[in-house]
Amino acid sequence: MARLAPKTDVLRALFARSGNQCAFPGCTQPLINDKNKFIAQVCHIEAASEGGERFNPDGNDEHRRSYENLLILCYPHHIETDDIEEYPVDRLLQIKREHEQLFLKSDFNIDESELTKLSYEMGKYWSDIERLNKFDHIFSDSGLAMDVNGRNSFFDVIASAYDAVNGIELLLESFHKSDEELKSDFAALLIKKGIPPELFSDIPYYENPFENRNWESHNLGTPNWLQRLRIDLVHIEVKFLEEYLKTHSDDLHAKARFEKAKKALKEYAETAMHVD
């Protein structure tokens, strides 16, 4: 299952009891700067996904995104608490309790109007997507409706996009093969009708519509457009993960994908060229 984002009311409570300070003992780094930008990280005590620090396989996704399992740290102290031997679950829970005790009467509030609006709108939007695709699709009774799953994570969607590119490539290869066989298929048809194919041997190849059918499309257009699409998908992946990891730095799967995508984009940047 994809990791779940913290709910708005959970984030509200975390900020209200934060004092606008990193929860790490002795740290006074603000969470929101003077430009009203969030410059810290919402951190999981027990990791949100398998492979992360202090992941509890007996837990559930609702607990993992709950108020009790989250605290807000500055970037350096989030990295420091990745040391699970020095910072096991019990110690982080103690750090959270002691920090919140300092600010029980704090009146710090984050401007959450846009966050709340977006959270509501997107919750409704994904519900609409689910309803439209599963129940209200105009071809729902035909069994031909394409799946649009609003619950899919970014990783599910990007994997599907890569699979689609590979599928398109296979389809175009079949068209290429079909066009290459067109001349011999036509000759076989002539023979069936008692017409010797040699009758057409005096026609120059460049005037023969069955010779090198769609050569430029198959050998130039197709590889160039597929390469362009693959580059753009990797670029999208790097751009997304760059932002995602700012607030999900404990997601080891995302970190590994980020490094792989960065390497691939570097290679494209250095070597990708048009076929001509």
Side-chain angles (χ1 to χ4, degrees):
M1 178 181 292
R3 58 189 289 157
L4 300 177
K7 295 179 179 178
T8 302
D9 58 344
V10 170
L11 294 175
R12 184 187 302 117
L14 284 171
F15 278 100
R17 298 167 190 171
S18 70
N20 194 28
Q21 289 183 12
C22 168
F24 195 86
C27 183
T28 58
Q29 175 69 34
L31 311 179
I32 307 294
N33 65 14
D34 56 6
K35 296 181 180 179
N36 203 33
K37 300 293 185 182
F38 180 50
I39 56 172
Q41 292 184 316
V42 176
C43 312
H44 292 79
I45 295 174
E46 292 182 354
S49 53
E50 189 172 359
E53 287 78 18
R54 297 171 295 274
F55 178 75
N56 179 4
D58 297 324
N60 59 67
D61 287 332
E62 284 301 328
H63 170 72
R64 292 176 186 125
R65 69 166 175 173
S66 68
Y67 172 83
E68 292 74 15
N69 192 50
L70 299 173
L71 74 165
I72 309 177
L73 298 170
C74 65
Y75 280 65
H77 283 128
H78 190 181
I79 298 300
E80 183 170 339
T81 57
D82 283 348
D83 184 341
I84 60 176
E85 292 188 3
E86 187 172 356
Y87 297 96
V89 171
D90 288 347
R91 184 171 182 192
L92 287 184
L93 288 173
Q94 180 183 1
I95 288 173
K96 175 182 172 71
R97 286 194 301 269
E98 291 178 354
H99 178 75
E100 291 177 349
Q101 283 293 325
L102 296 174
F103 299 102
L104 281 178
K105 298 181 180 180
S106 171
D107 59 357
F108 173 71
N109 289 300
I110 184 174
D111 182 2
E112 60 172 295
S113 59
E114 289 302 316
L115 176 63
T116 302
K117 179 182 177 183
L118 178 61
S119 179
Y120 169 78
E121 289 178 349
M122 290 311 297
K124 183 178 182 301
Y125 176 79
W126 291 123
S127 294
D128 287 345
I129 290 291
E130 186 80 4
R131 173 180 52 78
L132 289 168
N133 191 237
K134 303 301 182 188
F135 304 106
D136 296 343
H137 195 288
I138 58 175
F139 297 115
S140 59
D141 295 332
S142 68
L144 300 176
M146 280 194 168
D147 182 53
V148 181
N149 191 343
R151 294 172 296 175
N152 279 352
S153 69
F154 167 80
F155 302 104
D156 296 326
V157 175
I158 201 73
S160 178
Y162 284 126
D163 286 343
V165 174
N166 293 333
I168 292 170
E169 184 173 32
L170 291 173
L171 181 63
L172 292 172
E173 286 176 357
S174 71
F175 291 158
H176 189 184
K177 183 178 179 182
S178 177
D179 280 353
E180 286 181 329
E181 295 172 349
L182 190 57
K183 183 180 177 181
S184 60
D185 289 345
F186 179 62
L189 181 63
L190 291 174
I191 292 171
K192 283 185 178 181
K193 298 297 290 184
I195 303 172
E198 291 77 17
L199 286 176
F200 301 92
S201 61
D202 60 334
I203 299 177
Y205 76 91
Y206 51 84
E207 293 182 3
N208 187 336
F210 304 112
E211 190 80 48
N212 293 327
R213 186 80 167 182
N214 298 316
W215 187 92
E216 288 192 359
S217 296
H218 293 309
N219 294 282
L220 302 179
T222 291
N224 284 330
W225 281 114
L226 287 173
Q227 180 84 317
R228 177 73 267 162
L229 186 53
R230 287 193 170 100
I231 292 171
D232 289 346
L233 283 173
V234 172
H235 200 158
I236 289 170
E237 193 168 4
V238 172
K239 288 290 188 181
F240 170 81
L241 291 171
E242 177 185 13
E243 297 303 315
Y244 175 82
L245 285 168
K246 290 178 181 178
T247 52
H248 300 81
S249 65
D250 62 340
D251 190 333
L252 298 186
H253 173 63
K255 285 182 178 179
R257 288 290 299 265
F258 188 42
E259 293 305 316
K260 183 178 180 181
K262 285 196 300 179
K263 183 179 178 181
L265 190 59
K266 270 190 171 183
E267 186 172 341
Y268 278 133
E270 184 177 13
T271 66
M273 61 181 291
H274 288 91
V275 178
D276 193 6

